[in-house]
Amino acid sequence: MYGRPAWTAALLTAVGLTGGLLTGVTPVAAAPGPETISTVAGGPGRGTATNVFQAPQAVSASAGRAVYVADGYVVRRLDSNGTWEGVTAGVGVPGFSGDGGPAVSAQLGGVGAITVDRAGNVVILDTDNNRVRVVAARSGRFYGRAMTARDIYTVAGDGSFTYSGDGGVATKSGLSFPEGIAIDPAGNLVIADTDAHRVRVVAARSGRFYGQAMTAGDIYTVAGNGNSGYTGDGGPALDAELGFVQAVAVDSAGNVLLSDSVNGVVRVVAARSGTFYGQTMKAGDIYTVAGNGSLGYAGDGGPGTHAELNFPDGMAIDPDGNLAITDSGNSRVRVVAAQSGTFYGQAMTAGDIYTVAGDGSSGLAGNTGPATDAALNFPEGVTFDSAGNLIIADNANHRVRVVAAQSGTYYGQAMTAGHIYIAGGNTVPGSSGNRGLSRNAVLYVPASGPTASAVTVDGGNDIVSQSDQVWFICRVSGSYFGRSLTAGHIYQIAGDGYAGYSGDRGPAQVAQVWAPRGLAIDRAGNLVIADTNNNRVRVVAARTGTFYGHAMTMGHIYTVAGTGTVGFSGDGGPATAAQLFTPESVALDRAGNLVIGDAGNNRVRVVAERTGTFYGQAMTAGDIYTIAGDGAQRSSGDGGPATEAGLTPGAIAIDRAGNLVIADSYPNVDISNNRVRVVAAATGTFYGQAMTAGDIYTVAGTGDPGYSGDGGPAAAAELNNPDGVAVDQAGNLVIGDTYNNVIRVVAGATGTFYGQAMTAGDIYTVAGNGTPGFAGDGGPALQGELTSPEGVAVDRAGDLVIGDSGNGRVRLVRG
């Protein structure tokens, strides 16, 4: 038996109780009260601007030089000094909620565009919800309704995906995936109603605008006849065909500009008759000012209408009245000169087009150098701050970048005129919040969806896995895995954020892991990781020593099982020479053996910690053996030997009697037996059933997907892809009923648990109302909303800790 550091002493009881994918967890902070739910880690992400992973789609600057960034399901604020980044709206979880309440607690459905009006209100195009919403800068009356400072309100759209409501109240109208928003000089809202192939206006006050009599608060079409196409130049805008308008802008003359992206053009609806962008225009008619209708890159230095654009997206008007366009497919920002003169260090002619940022290559290069020599990567949004600096939402680079208009200090950096700089964001997926407060971290990767799938404990501190990283949530300051960590903060402990396999025998935090779905802590305090998509089990050493037959260095990572090649082989031989297939979970049994849920092989396997007899088999230290499952995906074999049963193991745990508990569910594919099963460690009665050592039994679930049976026998209840299991101090079995969006408990004995009277062997819901979403923090657990909760644990105080996977959070229910 090897030794262990003193700080893991308190862990042993928790591991013995729950083991498996999720062991006992000590919460970061207490929940508000009995049977209430709260978040202990994860959220929309706050911290230093360059430490928050972003997918910026649109940007808008306020008069005070703060830049607002549309980042997926939140709106962020980058302050002018560049030091701190905040969240203006959104909890980071898609949905629609919160109208009339604090914007930071609201759900957004994907922010397509943002702008700031003259009162300082932040206007949000909540694209996926087909609405326009406003965050009030101060209390007052805006857009026809009373608003409270920092609260959020819908001002256009009823949520339906349709074109309707013209001439009526804007909040009762239908919008069709709107992607652009602007404010005209009269304060009217201009909306790119993208899938309706129209541009629409919500009147700020009653009057005549765009050739139409309008009533305050009502909505009107000002461009587009609803047909997809590219026609009508030189004629009435209402008769023109538009493609998919991605963005709108309004210049100082009140002309409405629209980026007709799929047609590769930018067009103008003239507010009055006159000469604009080098063309004679008539009020109410539509004209092309950039692009010739062919997608490509050509025409710099010549007339804008002769140039080729490639998916022009965002637009903004600079302080000199020039039109800036994110030529997204060309990875450039280009400008159509409103008048002849010298701009951006170039001599320009009115109506001609010029590149002012980007060299046409897709990448991240050239920072601190000339903007035209830099690489951009599908820039989507553009704006100008009050100093005239060009702000770019460099979407695929996950950065907000700045081209300085004049030399000086902006966003906390010394800048040279015409050069480009990073103001916010980073390219490390999921790294938002590293070294910051745990509640401000982001536990998800936008490209693959939120995950907070597994939680374990290391003697008072929590560890959570997410897409391609493992995080350490520090509750007690100290030295862990060779690092000095601060209480209340969160740290990247393994994985650099990029999916892959690298770094064995080196520092864990610069190694690559790929979808680590299972975590456990062994008796030495080492972190054991089911590196699922790498088909390995790996260990991060808590101290320098020899573990699992390997000499290990503190804080470094090592493979202890699996070759990395998908397959099934190696039983009876060294674990590192065996093939695994998407191992989903890991646990440590009471003898210290490493138990693996080898999900793709439909088996549970054991790596012996020492030579001896375990699970009825003679085992050699370091070798691997199958203890449950015959390789078939079916659910079969109840009442017989576990090695002859069919199963699809997801999470696993070890209960107080040493029995192996298996969530018979495989969440990486749509295969699930929708049961929880037990392999008996000894002959006896468990979970209300007589069991024989080594045999397997269903203790919850009928096998049919559904949600039924609460208050009755667990084996007669329906589950839906149960993916998390744990066992509490009272012997109750806790289940993450993932697709039902609830946590359920099978009572180990008759009594009162989690505030409910329970009968032994029956099943009860203890958290979640069954509706997917994020809501309820601070309120009753049964009224809270969870989204695909995958991981569950029970801490030494009896509190439930939940890997609320779909919400990218770790949540706690105080029992």
Side-chain angles (χ1 to χ4, degrees), residues 553-654:
T553 300
M554 181 169 57
H556 288 204
I557 193 169
Y558 303 83
T559 295
V560 297
T563 63
T565 301
V566 172
F568 174 69
S569 69
D571 265 12
T576 51
Q579 290 178 312
L580 305 175
F581 186 5
T582 58
E584 288 278 326
S585 50
V586 287
L588 281 301
D589 69 15
R590 295 190 299 176
N593 301 309
L594 172 58
V595 186
I596 304 168
D598 193 1
N601 283 321
N602 303 297
R603 292 173 167 93
V604 178
R605 303 169 81 181
V606 166
V607 180
E609 191 272 332
R610 57 182 172 82
T611 299
T613 299
F614 310 101
Y615 304 96
Q617 301 182 49
M619 298 187 181
T620 301
D623 287 358
I624 193 168
Y625 304 84
T626 294
I627 60 170
D630 64 1
Q633 291 178 349
R634 67 185 184 279
S635 180
S636 65
D638 264 11
T643 52
E644 298 176 7
L647 51 82
T648 58
I652 55 177
I654 309 296

Side-chain angles (χ1 to χ4, degrees), residues 281-629:
M281 299 185 182
K282 179 183 176 183
D285 286 358
I286 192 167
Y287 304 83
T288 295
V289 295
N292 62 11
S294 297
L295 300 182
Y297 174 70
D300 262 14
T305 53
H306 294 175
E308 290 180 350
L309 304 174
N310 191 359
F311 205 79
D313 198 337
M315 299 180 300
I317 307 299
D318 74 12
D320 294 303
N322 303 308
L323 170 63
I325 305 165
T326 53
D327 192 359
S328 300
N330 286 320
S331 293
R332 289 175 165 95
V333 177
R334 302 169 82 179
V335 165
V336 178
Q339 57 186 344
S340 297
T342 299
F343 311 103
Y344 305 94
Q346 303 179 48
M348 297 187 180
T349 300
D352 287 359
I353 193 168
Y354 305 83
T355 293
V356 297
D359 63 2
S361 61
S362 295
L364 178 65
N367 285 305
T368 74
T372 51
D373 294 340
L376 305 175
N377 200 350
F378 208 82
E380 290 200 20
V382 65
T383 192
F384 293 89
D385 67 18
S386 58
N389 300 311
L390 172 65
I391 315 296
I392 304 167
D394 196 1
N395 180 266
N397 278 327
H398 306 287
R399 299 294 212 284
V400 176
R401 299 172 81 179
V402 174
V403 180
Q406 303 291 334
S407 296
T409 300
Y410 311 101
Y411 306 100
Q413 302 176 56
M415 297 187 181
T416 301
H419 288 208
I420 193 167
Y421 302 84
I422 293 172
N426 65 54
T427 56
V428 181
S431 68
S432 301
N434 192 23
R435 302 181 300 278
L437 293 171
S438 63
R439 291 176 184 268
N440 291 344
V442 177
L443 298 180
Y444 73 98
V445 176
S448 61
T451 59
S453 58
V455 182
T456 191
V457 70
D458 76 334
N461 303 288
D462 305 324
I463 300 176
V464 57
S465 73
Q466 58 131 32
S467 296
D468 297 310
Q469 287 180 306
V470 180
W471 294 77
F472 188 100
I473 305 166
C474 188
R475 189 177 69 88
V476 180
S477 297
S479 180
Y480 308 98
F481 301 99
R483 300 168 64 185
S484 180
L485 308 183
T486 302
H489 288 222
I490 190 168
Y491 300 86
Q492 169 202 0
I493 205 71
D496 65 0
Y498 294 98
Y501 173 71
S502 69
D504 252 21
R505 310 189 70 80
Q509 58 187 309
V510 296
Q512 287 181 312
V513 297
W514 190 0
R517 292 186 57 85
L519 301 175
I521 298 291
D522 69 19
R523 291 178 296 181
N526 303 309
L527 172 63
V528 184
I529 303 170
D531 195 355
T532 304
N533 286 359
N534 281 322
N535 302 295
R536 292 173 166 93
V537 176
R538 301 169 82 181
V539 168
V540 180
R543 61 177 177 84
T544 299
T546 299
F547 312 103
Y548 305 96
H550 300 267
M552 298 187 181
T553 300
M554 181 169 57
H556 288 204
I557 193 169
Y558 303 83
T559 295
V560 297
T563 63
T565 301
V566 172
F568 174 69
S569 69
D571 265 12
T576 51
Q579 290 178 312
L580 305 175
F581 186 5
T582 58
E584 288 278 326
S585 50
V586 287
L588 281 301
D589 69 15
R590 295 190 299 176
N593 301 309
L594 172 58
V595 186
I596 304 168
D598 193 1
N601 283 321
N602 303 297
R603 292 173 167 93
V604 178
R605 303 169 81 181
V606 166
V607 180
E609 191 272 332
R610 57 182 172 82
T611 299
T613 299
F614 310 101
Y615 304 96
Q617 301 182 49
M619 298 187 181
T620 301
D623 287 358
I624 193 168
Y625 304 84
T626 294
I627 60 170

Side-chain angles (χ1 to χ4, degrees), residues 226-247:
N227 295 323
S228 178
Y230 177 41
T231 64
D233 265 12
L238 284 168
D239 295 337
E241 290 181 330
L242 307 177
F244 292 91
V245 181
Q246 296 292 124

